[in-house]
Amino acid sequence: MLAFHKHLEKLGMVILILSIASCKSTKSIGSGAVDTALSPKKIIQNHYQNQQDFQTLRGKVKIDYSDGENSQGVSVSMRIKKDEVIWISAPLGILKAHITPNKVSFYNKLEGEYFEGDFSYLSGILGTEVDFIKLQNLLIGNALLDLRTEKYVAINEGDAYGLKPKKQNDLYKILFFLEPKYFKITRQELSQPWKNRFLKMQYSYQEVDSKVIPNTIAIEAVSDEQVNTIALDYKSMEFDKQLNFPYRIPKGLKEIVLK
């Protein structure tokens, strides 16, 4: 348990980024057939036309996390208000986190620490630059980046539509794969080889009250010599309930200052 508590701070922030869930009534979705004649433009259009709309989500998430030295599992409570706030609470309120488009904040009572600042802390954990919209896209199975701003070519992937930019971005390399039934992301990769940074996300999906959302997400995040892996399994989620997001940093905690 001591090893777990020492890593709660990082685990909490990873959970905050990656938690997304299933609902009361669920069923796994089947796979469709790839249409090899479908153009990259149409694949992208279908991806955005099939995006799910919601106001709020709440529930519990089972997370298994490893940083290469320590491996632990934990269940947490999660609440999200679309485009506005993500809230997470570990057991017994040992750790809470609160993220908005403008600020990342969390505290760890056991370690007596708290953090308030921008997205650089999260970017360091994931090994790539992130902001609120990227995190939200990751949570609900959408492309991390806006596919409509670039031109793509199709990749033969067998049971999925693969897309890569005609011209790779100067800042990072990207790759996307979409399942052929609902055009949700099954795998997306962002890398900066010159900085030894790599982020890969793999998804499975389920249908929940006529909405298609992630069932599991597997994450591999590499930054320099650090490798974080996270497996998430989502249960007992509810859509569009009235929620509050109580959060206040307790007095007496020491601020974490990034170097």
Side-chain angles (χ1 to χ4, degrees), residues 8 22 31 35 46 49 54 56 63 74 106 129 143 148 151 155 163 182 185 187 194 199 220 234 247 259:
L8 254 180
S22 63
S31 59
D35 180 359
N46 288 344
Q49 286 181 344
F54 65 92
T56 64
I63 306 101
V74 64
F106 71 89
E129 296 301 319
R148 296 164 294 191
K151 292 184 178 181
I155 306 171
L163 296 172
Y182 296 101
I185 294 290
R187 188 170 96 238
W194 49 92
L199 176 62
E220 180 181 359
Y234 313 106
Y247 183 81
K259 297 180 179 180

Side-chain angles (χ1 to χ4, degrees), residues 38 43 45 48 55 73 76 79 86 88 102 124 139 143 151 163-164 168 180 183 192 216 231 236 242 244 250 254:
L38 210 59
I43 294 169
Q45 181 181 352
Y48 287 99
Q55 297 299 315
V76 300
R79 301 174 186 178
I86 303 168
I88 197 82
N102 298 318
L139 295 177
K151 292 184 178 181
L163 296 172
K164 69 176 182 179
Q168 285 286 7
F183 293 88
Q192 293 176 300
T216 61
S236 303
Q242 287 293 114
N244 55 32
K254 181 180 179 180

Side-chain angles (χ1 to χ4, degrees), residues 43 47 137-138 140-145 147 152 155-164 173-180 183-190 198-205 214 216-220:
I43 294 169
H47 174 64
N137 285 340
L138 189 155
I140 58 180
N142 293 340
L144 203 61
L145 306 177
L147 299 178
Y152 289 81
I155 306 171
N156 185 6
E157 182 66 9
D159 60 351
Y161 294 107
L163 296 172
K164 69 176 182 179
K173 297 182 181 296
I174 55 179
L175 192 61
F176 301 95
F177 294 93
L178 300 86
E179 53 82 25
F183 293 88
K184 301 291 287 184
I185 294 290
T186 59
R187 188 170 96 238
Q188 51 186 334
E189 301 177 5
L190 281 78
F198 176 75
L199 176 62
K200 180 171 71 174
M201 298 146 282
Q202 293 181 281
Y203 297 78
S204 68
Y205 289 93
T216 61
I217 308 176
I219 312 295
E220 180 181 359

Side-chain angles (χ1 to χ4, degrees), residues 215-235:
N215 181 31
T216 61
I217 308 176
I219 312 295
E220 180 181 359
V222 178
S223 182
D224 296 324
E225 301 300 322
Q226 180 67 45
V227 180
N228 295 322
T229 59
I230 309 102
L232 301 108
D233 185 11
Y234 313 106
K235 301 180 182 300

